[in-house]
Amino acid sequence: MSFTSLGLPPWMAECLKNIAITKPSAIQEACIPPILDGRDCIGGAKTGSGKTIAFAAPMIAKWAEDPFGICGVVLTPTRELAIQIADQFAALGSGVGIKTCVVIGGVEMTKQSRDLKEKPHFVIATPGRLADEIRSNGEEILPGLRRAKFLVLDEADRLLSSSMADDLATCIGALAPPEKRQTLLFTATVTDSVRALKNQAPKAGKKPVFVHEVASDEVAIPATLTQSYLFIPSYVRDAYLYSILTHEDNTSKSAIVFVNRTATAEQVRRTLEKMEIKTVSLHSEMPQRERINALAKFRAEVARVLVATDVASRGLDIPVVEMVINFEIPADPDDYVHRVGRTARAGRRGESISLVSEQDVTLIQGIEERVGQKMEQYGKIDDDDVVNNTLRPVSMAKREAIMDMDRDGFGELRKTREKKRRLKEAASAAVKNEKKKHRKKKGSS
Ligand code: AMP
């Protein structure tokens, strides 16, 4: 099977060949023809299965037939994913001069607003910032958005969660109605809310929705991934982490260490740095510029370890990752699937190691049930060696890291943001109140 036999133009196949992509993956084979045929599409895909190209290639091919204004809007839950998707659009559309615009929080709004007004061909956005743009610059950008022919909901299960609902509704409300555009919905985990969309009756004048769902007995875990666990007392997690990272088999491997909270990400990063392991972190409390820099350093292998919260667990495509370590176990088994999917991507080998303490046993059982496999015990670490050689220096480094965080006022940014949010809410409540009073007064006069 070739990309041209799926209906893509030869120049697009050539472009894919230039980035060493010659044979369509399963999701590409399934979804590209119906997208080219004008159908709405729901794609359930394994992590790292090539879903970005499954939607980007046919959208760009369609745009090239009629290159005018905003052709597509791609919504994705995190800023890093938006940047990554935009990079793929740029790579595929480099020969035909496509213009993309990334609309994400954490970066200055003025330039983004200007770029949006200049009618890029594809807008790749997180719902929060695009909704802000629509609310503040609606008149100037709505006509362009209304003409978009495609809406992509990437990582749709996350986008459809309640925390993003309002912003998502604002973004979708700014576009043409569903019967006048194609809606492409991609997700690694097909949840009930996603499935509900599939069951809706087709709108008048529309072809039925095409659905590519991963078969229920097929789990979204790559076959090239080895999953193991290490049973440890919870208060010595850092020492075990250090022992794994410095084991002779692992010293040259690049690794993502997942934690459950931003403060833990910061503390683990600082501890590992003090133990002379080149480490960067990625979490929501870092300014966007620092997040981009940290990822760039990790991609370029300047840093061997990335310590991250679940901000990085979805979709991020970093080919060099050989190991994922769950420093803490996620409460939701789907998050586990996303985390370990950061390694063993596109047919490469990878391993995941989960640090399991006494409180995590039921979580691990839930995960094993979700992925349909039992994990093996990680056999490379000797408990006596950890206690006798690693525990003391790592504990000292951790203590210093915690003191440094206190000195640097870690957590202040969140407090300031929270204060701003409360002030904004109070201001908008006051405006609403005023309007209500005004209406009442008018009504009685
Ligand atoms: P995604 O699932 O979109 O995050 O893609 C994961 C990785 O697979 C990216 O690095 C893509 O460049 C790569 N990829 C996508 N499609 C193919 C393909 N057909 N053959 C080989 N690699 C691919």
Side-chain angles (χ1 to χ4, degrees), residues 391-409:
L391 193 53
R392 205 176 126 75
V394 175
S395 301
M396 279 170 62
K398 179 177 171 181
R399 201 171 331 131
E400 280 177 29
I402 293 171
M403 287 192 305
D404 290 354
M405 281 166 69
D406 190 49
R407 180 201 61 205
D408 297 346

Side-chain angles (χ1 to χ4, degrees), residues 3 19-25 28 46-53 84 88 315 317 319 345-346 348:
F3 282 104
I19 50 172
I21 294 179
T22 48
K23 197 176 164 301
S25 65
Q28 291 159 1
K46 281 189 192 183
T47 48
S49 59
K51 68 184 153 84
T52 314
I53 288 172
Q84 189 176 292
Q88 295 229 23
D317 178 35
R345 292 174 75 75
R348 281 181 285 266

Side-chain angles (χ1 to χ4, degrees), residues 73-320:
V73 174
V74 180
L75 296 175
T76 190
T78 73
R79 300 161 183 182
E80 283 75 18
L81 279 177
I83 294 169
Q84 189 176 292
I85 293 170
D87 286 345
Q88 295 229 23
F89 269 81
L92 296 190
S94 56
V96 285
I98 68 162
K99 260 192 315 186
T100 60
C101 171
V102 178
V103 181
I104 52 176
V107 290
E108 213 231 319
M109 223 167 151
T110 336
K111 182 174 178 311
Q112 279 183 2
S113 308
R114 205 173 46 232
D115 290 350
L116 253 184
K117 286 174 205 162
E118 281 171 10
K119 302 219 175 64
H121 306 127
F122 292 96
V123 175
I124 296 130
T126 49
R129 178 54 74 88
L130 184 60
D132 279 351
E133 288 284 353
I134 292 166
R135 287 179 202 121
S136 45
N137 296 308
E139 275 167 36
E140 282 161 287
I141 60 174
L142 279 175
L145 288 174
R146 279 234 180 276
R147 261 179 283 176
K149 294 178 184 151
F150 291 95
L151 164 66
V152 178
L153 301 176
D154 176 51
E155 302 287 348
D157 53 333
R158 256 286 278 293
L159 287 176
L160 294 168
S161 70
S162 55
S163 65
M164 300 203 183
D166 284 354
D167 290 332
L168 190 66
T170 305
C171 297
I172 295 178
L175 302 174
E179 59 278 16
K180 295 212 170 126
R181 60 167 150 85
Q182 270 175 264
T183 306
L184 315 177
L185 193 149
F186 287 86
T187 174
T189 35
V190 180
T191 58
D192 287 343
S193 52
V194 171
R195 215 168 271 123
L197 293 176
K198 153 186 157 184
N199 295 333
Q200 281 173 9
K203 296 258 183 310
K206 285 216 85 168
K207 295 180 183 171
V209 177
F210 172 79
V211 182
H212 172 74
E213 196 167 334
V214 178
S216 59
D217 61 346
E218 199 184 336
V219 203
I221 294 279
T224 49
L225 174 74
T226 316
Q227 303 171 75
S228 53
Y229 75 90
L230 191 58
F231 198 65
I232 55 149
S234 56
Y235 57 92
V236 290
R237 273 180 208 279
D238 300 75
Y240 274 88
L241 172 65
Y242 179 76
S243 297
I244 295 171
L245 290 171
T246 52
H247 185 278
E248 58 181 355
D249 289 352
N250 300 335
T251 44
S252 63
K253 290 183 184 163
S254 90
I256 302 188
V257 175
F258 278 107
V259 300
N260 291 350
R261 273 175 289 273
T262 55
T264 316
E266 191 66 18
Q267 176 247 299
V268 172
R269 177 187 66 80
R270 290 179 188 239
T271 306
L272 292 179
E273 290 246 285
K274 285 186 191 292
M275 297 301 294
E276 300 193 337
I277 296 181
K278 289 209 167 73
T279 309
V280 288
S281 52
L282 186 67
H283 56 74
S284 58
E285 230 156 293
M286 291 161 67
Q288 186 59 22
R289 196 170 338 108
E290 275 179 32
R291 285 164 65 162
I292 292 171
N293 282 345
L295 259 183
K297 274 191 187 163
F298 186 61
R299 273 185 211 278
E301 299 181 59
V302 174
R304 177 163 80 92
V305 177
L306 170 72
V307 184
T309 56
D310 283 296
V311 151
S313 74
R314 289 189 174 238
L316 274 192
D317 178 35
I318 308 166
V320 291

Side-chain angles (χ1 to χ4, degrees), residues 438-445:
H438 186 69
R439 274 199 302 272
K440 242 184 179 171
K441 221 166 143 191
K442 249 176 122 183
S444 60
S445 63

Side-chain angles (χ1 to χ4, degrees), residues 11-28:
W11 63 264
M12 175 68 77
E14 197 55 36
C15 199
L16 285 162
K17 200 168 136 201
N18 290 340
I19 50 172
I21 294 179
T22 48
K23 197 176 164 301
S25 65
I27 182 122
Q28 291 159 1

